[in-house]
Short mmCIF file of all heavy atoms in Angstrom, two decimals:
data_model
loop_
_atom_site.label_atom_id
_atom_site.label_comp_id
_atom_site.label_asym_id
_atom_site.label_seq_id
_atom_site.Cartn_x
_atom_site.Cartn_y
_atom_site.Cartn_z
N CYS A 90 22.62 263.82 -179.15
CA CYS A 90 23.36 262.70 -179.80
C CYS A 90 24.86 262.97 -179.78
O CYS A 90 25.65 262.08 -179.51
CB CYS A 90 22.88 262.50 -181.23
SG CYS A 90 21.22 261.83 -181.33
N LYS A 91 25.23 264.22 -180.07
CA LYS A 91 26.65 264.59 -180.12
C LYS A 91 27.29 264.39 -178.74
O LYS A 91 28.38 263.84 -178.61
CB LYS A 91 26.76 266.06 -180.56
CG LYS A 91 28.16 266.55 -180.81
CD LYS A 91 28.13 267.88 -181.57
CE LYS A 91 29.51 268.53 -181.56
NZ LYS A 91 29.68 269.48 -180.47
N LYS A 92 26.58 264.81 -177.71
CA LYS A 92 27.09 264.65 -176.33
C LYS A 92 27.28 263.17 -175.99
O LYS A 92 28.26 262.79 -175.36
CB LYS A 92 26.11 265.26 -175.31
CG LYS A 92 26.14 266.75 -175.27
CD LYS A 92 27.34 267.23 -174.45
CE LYS A 92 27.66 268.68 -174.79
NZ LYS A 92 29.05 269.04 -174.66
N ALA A 93 26.32 262.38 -176.40
CA ALA A 93 26.41 260.94 -176.11
C ALA A 93 27.63 260.33 -176.80
O ALA A 93 28.38 259.57 -176.19
CB ALA A 93 25.13 260.23 -176.56
N VAL A 94 27.85 260.73 -178.06
CA VAL A 94 29.00 260.21 -178.81
C VAL A 94 30.31 260.70 -178.18
O VAL A 94 31.25 259.92 -178.00
CB VAL A 94 28.91 260.62 -180.30
CG1 VAL A 94 30.19 260.31 -181.05
CG2 VAL A 94 27.73 259.90 -180.97
N GLU A 95 30.36 261.96 -177.82
CA GLU A 95 31.57 262.50 -177.17
C GLU A 95 31.86 261.79 -175.86
O GLU A 95 32.99 261.70 -175.42
CB GLU A 95 31.40 264.01 -176.89
CG GLU A 95 31.54 264.87 -178.13
CD GLU A 95 31.11 266.32 -177.91
OE1 GLU A 95 30.71 266.67 -176.77
OE2 GLU A 95 31.15 267.09 -178.88
N SER A 96 30.82 261.28 -175.24
CA SER A 96 30.99 260.58 -173.96
C SER A 96 31.36 259.11 -174.15
O SER A 96 31.57 258.40 -173.17
CB SER A 96 29.70 260.66 -173.14
OG SER A 96 29.31 261.99 -173.01
N GLY A 97 31.40 258.66 -175.39
CA GLY A 97 31.83 257.29 -175.64
C GLY A 97 30.78 256.37 -176.22
O GLY A 97 31.07 255.19 -176.49
N ALA A 98 29.58 256.88 -176.43
CA ALA A 98 28.54 256.01 -176.99
C ALA A 98 28.82 255.73 -178.47
O ALA A 98 29.23 256.62 -179.21
CB ALA A 98 27.16 256.66 -176.84
N ASP A 99 28.62 254.49 -178.88
CA ASP A 99 28.80 254.12 -180.28
C ASP A 99 27.50 254.25 -181.05
O ASP A 99 27.50 254.43 -182.27
CB ASP A 99 29.29 252.66 -180.36
CG ASP A 99 30.62 252.49 -179.66
OD1 ASP A 99 31.62 252.96 -180.21
OD2 ASP A 99 30.64 251.94 -178.53
N PHE A 100 26.40 254.14 -180.34
CA PHE A 100 25.07 254.24 -180.96
C PHE A 100 24.17 255.02 -179.99
O PHE A 100 24.37 254.96 -178.76
CB PHE A 100 24.45 252.86 -181.18
CG PHE A 100 25.28 251.95 -182.04
CD1 PHE A 100 26.19 251.07 -181.48
CD2 PHE A 100 25.15 251.98 -183.43
CE1 PHE A 100 26.97 250.23 -182.28
CE2 PHE A 100 25.91 251.15 -184.23
CZ PHE A 100 26.84 250.27 -183.66
N VAL A 101 23.18 255.70 -180.55
CA VAL A 101 22.23 256.42 -179.70
C VAL A 101 20.82 256.04 -180.14
O VAL A 101 20.53 255.98 -181.34
CB VAL A 101 22.41 257.96 -179.84
CG1 VAL A 101 21.46 258.69 -178.89
CG2 VAL A 101 23.85 258.38 -179.56
N ILE A 102 19.97 255.76 -179.16
CA ILE A 102 18.57 255.44 -179.47
C ILE A 102 17.76 256.73 -179.53
O ILE A 102 17.80 257.56 -178.61
CB ILE A 102 17.98 254.46 -178.43
CG1 ILE A 102 18.72 253.11 -178.51
CG2 ILE A 102 16.48 254.25 -178.68
CD1 ILE A 102 18.23 252.04 -177.55
N VAL A 103 17.04 256.88 -180.65
CA VAL A 103 16.27 258.10 -180.92
C VAL A 103 14.82 257.69 -181.15
O VAL A 103 14.56 256.68 -181.80
CB VAL A 103 16.84 258.77 -182.21
CG1 VAL A 103 15.98 259.93 -182.66
CG2 VAL A 103 18.29 259.21 -181.99
N HIS A 104 13.87 258.46 -180.65
CA HIS A 104 12.47 258.15 -180.92
C HIS A 104 12.13 258.48 -182.37
O HIS A 104 12.67 259.45 -182.92
CB HIS A 104 11.55 258.94 -179.98
CG HIS A 104 10.97 258.07 -178.92
ND1 HIS A 104 10.26 256.92 -179.21
CD2 HIS A 104 10.99 258.16 -177.57
CE1 HIS A 104 9.87 256.34 -178.08
NE2 HIS A 104 10.32 257.06 -177.06
N GLY A 105 11.25 257.70 -182.94
CA GLY A 105 10.89 257.91 -184.34
C GLY A 105 9.76 258.89 -184.52
O GLY A 105 9.62 259.51 -185.58
N PHE A 106 8.95 259.09 -183.47
CA PHE A 106 7.75 259.91 -183.65
C PHE A 106 8.07 261.39 -183.84
O PHE A 106 7.19 262.18 -184.17
CB PHE A 106 6.74 259.70 -182.51
CG PHE A 106 7.24 260.09 -181.13
CD1 PHE A 106 7.43 261.41 -180.78
CD2 PHE A 106 7.52 259.11 -180.18
CE1 PHE A 106 7.88 261.78 -179.51
CE2 PHE A 106 7.97 259.45 -178.92
CZ PHE A 106 8.16 260.79 -178.59
N GLY A 107 9.32 261.79 -183.65
CA GLY A 107 9.71 263.18 -183.85
C GLY A 107 9.68 263.57 -185.32
O GLY A 107 9.64 264.75 -185.65
#
Side-chain angles (χ1 to χ4, degrees):
C90 289
K91 187 166 168 266
K92 285 280 160 210
V94 170
E95 284 169 1
S96 306
D99 299 287
F100 302 93
V101 183
I102 296 180
V103 172
H104 254 304
F106 63 71

